[in-house]
């Protein structure tokens, strides 16, 4: 089975590779090891093409109050969150979604 992460392990301080939280990343590593390097490159190109075709981008505000538009790039390797971390984060995600919905209802609802 190919180990696509060997070079990355030697050169990166990423928590996934460095062993921090390695248990939660191990399942993701196992899935990615099933693919050849070429298959992973093809999947990355397909993902990039889909994002480009959808016209997804991010805007970064600059000091000069101008916006810089950047293509939205996605990495097929997931950012893995343990169930303990998600339990903490999910409360904030729900809070912000409810706040956004209330804002949208106020702005676009009956006046």
């Amino acid at each position: 089975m190919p180990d696509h992460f060997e070079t990355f392990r030697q050169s990166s301080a990423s928590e996934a590779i460095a062993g921090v939280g390695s248990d939660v990343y191990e399942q993701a590593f196992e899935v990615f090891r099933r693919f050849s390097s070429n298959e992973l490159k093809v999947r990355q190109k397909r993902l990039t093409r889909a994002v480009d075709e959808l016209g997804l981008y991010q805007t970064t505000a600059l000091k000069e109050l101008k916006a810089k538009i950047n293509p939205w790039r996605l990495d097929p390797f997931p950012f893995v969150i343990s169930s303990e971390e998600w339990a903490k984060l999910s409360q904030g995600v729900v809070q912000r979604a409810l706040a956004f919905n209330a804002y949208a209802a106020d702005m676009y609802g009956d006046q």
Side-chain angles (χ1 to χ4, degrees), residues 9-58:
R9 274 192 190 96
Q10 296 168 0
S11 64
S12 175
S14 169
E15 30 178 81
I17 307 303
V20 177
S22 60
D23 292 342
V24 296
Y25 280 98
E26 190 55 40
Q27 289 178 319
F29 282 139
E30 286 305 315
V31 170
F32 279 83
R33 284 185 185 115
R34 295 179 193 155
F35 301 105
S36 70
S37 294
N38 191 51
E39 288 172 307
L40 291 173
K41 288 175 187 174
V42 167
R43 288 171 181 263
Q44 178 66 59
K45 287 179 183 178
R46 190 182 317 155
L47 178 60
T48 299
R49 186 173 52 249
V51 168
D52 289 345
E53 288 173 0
L54 290 169
L56 301 177
Y57 62 90
Q58 61 186 4

Side-chain angles (χ1 to χ4, degrees), residues 6 8-9 13 16 19 28 41 45-46 66 68 70 93 97 104:
E6 191 58 38
F8 189 68
R9 274 192 190 96
K41 288 175 187 174
K45 287 179 183 178
R46 190 182 317 155
K66 295 180 182 178
K68 180 179 179 187
N70 300 302
V93 171

Side-chain angles (χ1 to χ4, degrees), residues 70-83:
N70 300 302
W72 186 7
R73 292 296 171 236
L74 297 176
D75 189 336
F77 191 84
F79 179 76
V80 180
I81 300 173
S82 70
S83 58

